[in-house]
Amino acid sequence: MTKAPVTPERDIAASGPYALAVDAMGGDRAPDIVLAGLDLAADRHPKARILLIGDEALLRPALAKYPKAARLCDIRHAAASISMDMKPTAALRVRGSSMRMAMEAVAAGEACGVVSAGNSGAMLALAKIIVKALPGISRPAMIAVEPSARGDIVMLDLGANIACDARNLVEFAIMGEAFAQAALGLPSPTIGLLNVGSEELKGDDRLRQASERLRASPLAPQFHGFVEGHDITAGTTDVVVTDGFTGNVALKTGEGALKLAFSLLKRVFQTNLLTRLGYLLVKPGLERMREWIDPRRYNGALFVGLNGIVVKSHGGADGESFAAAVDVAMDAVTHHLNDKIRARLEQLGMGAPEPVAPAAAKAAPEPVS
Amino acid sequence: MTKAPVTPERDIAASGPYALAVDAMGGDRAPDIVLAGLDLAADRHPKARILLIGDEALLRPALAKYPKAARLCDIRHAAASISMDMKPTAALRVRGSSMRMAMEAVAAGEACGVVSAGNSGAMLALAKIIVKALPGISRPAMIAVEPSARGDIVMLDLGANIACDARNLVEFAIMGEAFAQAALGLPSPTIGLLNVGSEELKGDDRLRQASERLRASPLAPQFHGFVEGHDITAGTTDVVVTDGFTGNVALKTGEGALKLAFSLLKRVFQTNLLTRLGYLLVKPGLERMREWIDPRRYNGALFVGLNGIVVKSHGGADGESFAAAVDVAMDAVTHHLNDKIRARLEQLGMGAPEPVAPAAAKAAPEPVS
């Protein structure tokens, strides 16, 4: 996988002085892990300008402890913040929250994207209202990079939409292709539609319709057809498309199974003196393996399909994982993720917005973390 | 976990001379793996009488090679068989197939259960029409035992019903409890409803309704509430309840992730001479670990909610995994799975049949393998 060099200047010039607006108050250990993450990110994105939004009285002394982060950041004071357990409807009513002001900076063209480790339900609700969906996208979705036996893949929707129709799934395929190009550097990523069997007759009407539309579209050469649960970690396709309920369960089930494997392995190595010696002999390789599938390395889920880059870091993240979320946002900004999506939508004649049916909107009352 | 002793005689007396009717012609390598499996099963269930159904000219000489299996089996000739790729609607039209005759033996009270490694779509369709659903169960489901960090758990539906409503999910909880008692020997298994978050507000109406009904039922003390994908392998609850689409994806995603972990581990051990030595030191423990999560050991999915025990073995199974499927069937027979389900249904006032709404029935045109 090769990537184009990171040149945030391109978008910064087009869109305002800041690459990213960062919500300094989101997450379980904000603002410390946010600043620690930006300090790490500063090495990888030395030219990125960052608008750091939060309680100035708290941030100014804290930032002094992270000199590399301080070089990148301008502080903007926000009087309020959104707590991790606040309901999205309540979060929408809080004026002047750090999360809201970060979204507003994107909407105003001051920044290309937002990163927050805050409440994901609030984040999606604010993003939809302030940053707004791209024309032609009826449902923004949550996407992230995941490990597989054949290298990294991307999967969506990871929980933004509980119920999805055929059109939503086609939109997800378009957004997934663009994100795989931006995040994995693949010119022509393959796409699979998650189902309970790979035969064309399996699944429900919604899946069959989405499959037919993709087969009849310019994406057809990249469309692999239906894939199953085991294809995700096998890396059968570069992009796995599914609804937000199934995607969320699959993501967490896969992570849980890897965790189970490691906990069993630990028991094996701790059996006796010989197995402990065995552990010492394979330790470097095991650590590389553990790092490779480390959820922290894969931190940073992007709400794709919005008029700006919106990235959610895990709420319990540490500095290293927050830095990974910043990488996701910077990749999307510098590789012009949204331009790629717009071009595909136009090519497929889907550029015009289609209003969400009330029944469908009602079926997805709550985004998930 | 303790189990009551296996005493198939109890049910055989009540239900006919045979514990099981076995479809000798189902699966990729039938009848060989079926006979090899019965040979292994004969050691564990020496008193079980088995009605072996298939092409007599083929079976009689083949069975002579498996003397232990031969002692258990009576052969019944079937002139036809169902191929692995036949559609369920076509399979229903084949008279005198080995699979159909096995179902008919159960319906006639000659055998307590069926085991087949054949076409699962055909199997579910035939079971529904010939063995028929238990009164009060609107949707039979597919259930199996899975590994977790806290020991074995059971999960359903693994693919019999693509779309499910709240009532179906409540029925699944009842059937899951009874199966966990029979297969895991747990007197009072805990039950979780798979969702995208554990908060009560997450998910859709269907899940919230099912949760409310379970909280108001005699199952309430065992009902843990919502669980997430990672709870499956963590073993948070003994029973995981979900719809057939999500369950099928979760099952295959978990298996795929464990496979990924093992393939990465293999690479680690093959790095150099030292890591190969390390492998030799931990080999016995690793092999126990691999055996413990071996899909063959977990082979045998039960179509639960029918007027008899119907167990599906994987089509590509070997003798050992077919024997595991026979174990699943024998556990269900000897522990009176269906009596437990009937008692719970009555206790919950759900004993009367409720017809499936046409729209809901249409949403699940094809069961999955």
Side-chain angles (χ1 to χ4, degrees):
Chain A
M1 284 175 290
T2 54
K3 285 186 186 186
V6 175
T7 52
E9 294 82 353
R10 286 183 291 170
D11 274 88
I12 293 170
S15 188
Y18 297 104
L20 302 176
V22 169
D23 170 14
M25 312 308 284
D28 298 331
R29 287 178 292 152
D32 279 341
I33 64 109
V34 173
L35 301 179
L38 290 175
D39 216 49
L40 290 166
D43 289 333
R44 301 180 222 164
H45 313 283
K47 292 182 181 174
R49 296 293 305 158
I50 288 176
L51 182 63
L52 186 67
I53 304 179
D55 182 347
E56 189 168 5
L58 202 68
L59 286 180
R60 206 158 289 282
L63 192 57
K65 288 184 279 176
Y66 298 95
K68 283 187 285 183
R71 268 201 299 279
L72 262 53
C73 292
D74 291 335
I75 294 177
R76 177 172 292 175
H77 180 65
S81 63
I82 306 290
S83 69
M84 293 305 272
D85 54 0
M86 193 180 274
K87 287 194 190 170
T89 45
L92 288 178
R93 287 192 298 265
V94 181
R95 301 279 149 186
S97 71
S98 54
M99 190 188 280
R100 184 183 195 106
M101 285 175 65
M103 301 284 179
E104 285 168 346
V106 173
E110 283 185 285
C112 302
V114 176
V115 181
S116 172
N119 181 326
S120 45
M123 216 175 145
L124 181 59
L126 280 166
K128 280 181 178 172
I129 283 180
I130 296 168
V131 181
K132 292 192 172 69
L134 280 172
I137 295 295
S138 53
R139 297 277 195 94
M142 202 170 182
I143 190 166
V145 177
E146 304 297 328
S148 91
R150 288 183 55 247
D152 288 349
I153 60 138
V154 306
M155 180 157 76
L156 79 168
D157 176 15
L158 300 178
N161 308 283
I162 295 302
C164 299
D165 63 18
R167 159 146 189 150
N168 301 144
L169 294 170
V170 172
E171 289 174 9
F172 294 173
I174 293 167
M175 300 192 290
E177 183 212 18
F179 183 72
Q181 289 170 338
L184 307 181
L186 302 171
S188 204
T190 55
I191 300 163
L193 198 52
L194 192 59
N195 199 345
V196 291
S198 51
E199 302 86 352
E200 281 304 312
L201 286 165
K202 295 276 185 184
D204 53 19
D205 287 347
R206 174 186 69 118
L207 283 166
R208 281 189 294 269
Q209 279 171 23
S211 172
E212 278 164 30
R213 287 195 206 177
L214 287 167
R215 288 220 181 282
S217 81
L219 280 171
Q222 287 155 258
F223 181 54
H224 177 278
F226 294 135
V227 292
E228 300 182 65
H230 49 82
D231 290 306
I232 302 170
T233 45
T236 306
T237 58
D238 303 312
V239 181
V240 176
V241 171
T242 187
D243 65 86
F245 190 91
T246 311
N248 187 274
V249 167
L251 174 74
K252 290 174 178 169
T253 303
E255 283 181 3
L258 289 178
K259 206 174 152 189
L260 172 63
F262 271 106
S263 82
L264 292 174
L265 202 55
K266 200 174 164 185
R267 271 188 245 171
V268 168
F269 283 121
Q270 289 178 342
T271 311
N272 56 39
L273 271 176
L274 285 178
T275 60
R276 281 171 205 269
L277 175 60
Y279 171 70
L280 291 177
L281 294 174
V282 295
K283 198 177 167 197
L286 269 185
E287 279 177 0
R288 272 197 308 279
M289 169 180 165
R290 187 191 284 273
E291 261 166 42
W292 187 64
I293 56 175
D294 186 352
R296 290 184 306 172
R297 202 169 79 81
Y298 292 93
N299 186 41
L302 192 133
F303 287 119
V304 66
L306 295 159
N307 253 318
I309 301 306
V310 179
V311 171
K312 151 83 188 150
S313 166
H314 195 278
D318 59 9
E320 203 178 308
S321 36
F322 194 85
V326 171
D327 286 343
V328 171
M330 290 302 289
D331 268 349
V333 167
T334 56
H335 293 279
H336 304 279
L337 173 66
N338 281 348
D339 290 346
K340 290 184 208 294
I341 296 173
R342 277 189 210 99
R344 267 293 186 208
L345 284 170
E346 253 175 57
Q347 193 191 18
L348 273 80
M350 292 168 69
E354 186 181 61
V356 180
K362 205 182 147 238
E366 196 91 338
V368 296
S369 62
Chain B
M1 284 175 289
T2 54
K3 286 186 186 186
V6 175
T7 52
E9 294 81 355
R10 286 183 291 169
D11 273 89
I12 292 169
S15 189
Y18 298 104
L20 301 176
V22 170
D23 170 13
M25 312 309 284
D28 297 331
R29 287 178 293 152
D32 278 341
I33 64 109
V34 173
L35 301 179
L38 290 175
D39 216 49
L40 290 167
D43 289 334
R44 301 180 221 163
H45 313 283
K47 293 182 181 173
R49 296 292 306 156
I50 288 176
L51 181 62
L52 186 67
I53 304 179
D55 181 347
E56 189 168 6
L58 203 68
L59 286 180
R60 205 158 289 282
L63 193 57
K65 287 184 281 175
Y66 298 95
K68 283 187 285 183
R71 268 200 298 279
L72 262 53
C73 293
D74 291 334
I75 294 176
R76 177 172 292 173
H77 180 65
S81 63
I82 306 290
S83 68
M84 294 305 272
D85 54 0
M86 194 180 274
K87 287 194 190 171
T89 45
L92 288 178
R93 287 191 298 265
V94 181
R95 301 279 148 186
S97 71
S98 55
M99 190 188 281
R100 183 183 195 107
M101 285 175 66
M103 302 284 179
E104 285 168 346
V106 173
E110 282 185 285
C112 301
V114 176
V115 181
S116 172
N119 181 327
S120 45
M123 216 175 145
L124 181 59
L126 279 167
K128 280 181 178 172
I129 283 180
I130 296 168
V131 181
K132 292 193 173 69
L134 280 173
I137 295 294
S138 53
R139 297 278 195 94
M142 202 171 182
I143 191 166
V145 177
E146 304 297 328
S148 91
R150 287 183 55 248
D152 288 349
I153 60 139
V154 306
M155 180 157 76
L156 79 167
D157 176 14
L158 300 178
N161 308 282
I162 296 302
C164 298
D165 62 18
R167 161 147 188 150
N168 301 143
L169 294 170
V170 172
E171 289 174 8
F172 294 173
I174 293 166
M175 300 192 289
E177 183 211 18
F179 183 72
Q181 289 171 339
L184 307 181
L186 302 171
S188 204
T190 55
I191 300 163
L193 198 52
L194 192 59
N195 198 345
V196 291
S198 51
E199 302 87 351
E200 280 304 312
L201 286 165
K202 296 276 185 184
D204 54 20
D205 287 347
R206 175 186 68 118
L207 283 166
R208 281 189 294 269
Q209 279 171 22
S211 172
E212 278 164 30
R213 287 194 206 178
L214 288 167
R215 288 220 180 282
S217 81
L219 279 171
Q222 287 154 259
F223 180 53
H224 177 277
F226 294 134
V227 292
E228 300 182 65
H230 49 83
D231 289 306
I232 302 170
T233 45
T236 306
T237 58
D238 303 312
V239 181
V240 175
V241 171
T242 188
D243 65 86
F245 190 90
T246 311
N248 187 274
V249 168
L251 174 74
K252 291 174 178 169
T253 303
E255 283 180 3
L258 289 177
K259 206 174 152 190
L260 172 63
F262 272 106
S263 82
L264 292 174
L265 201 55
K266 200 174 164 186
R267 271 189 244 170
V268 168
F269 283 121
Q270 289 177 342
T271 311
N272 56 39
L273 270 176
L274 284 178
T275 60
R276 281 171 204 267
L277 176 60
Y279 171 71
L280 290 177
L281 294 173
V282 295
K283 198 177 166 196
L286 269 186
E287 279 177 1
R288 272 198 308 279
M289 169 180 166
R290 187 191 285 272
E291 261 166 43
W292 187 63
I293 56 175
D294 186 352
R296 290 184 305 172
R297 202 168 79 80
Y298 292 93
N299 186 41
L302 192 132
F303 286 119
V304 66
L306 294 159
N307 253 318
I309 301 306
V310 179
V311 171
K312 151 83 189 150
S313 166
H314 194 278
D318 59 9
E320 204 179 307
S321 36
F322 194 86
V326 171
D327 285 343
V328 171
M330 289 301 290
D331 268 350
V333 167
T334 56
H335 293 279
H336 304 278
L337 172 66
N338 281 347
D339 290 346
K340 290 184 209 293
I341 296 173
R342 277 190 210 98
R344 267 293 187 208
L345 285 170
E346 252 174 59
Q347 193 191 19
L348 272 79
M350 291 167 69
E354 186 182 59
V356 180
K362 206 182 145 239
E366 196 91 338
V368 296
S369 62

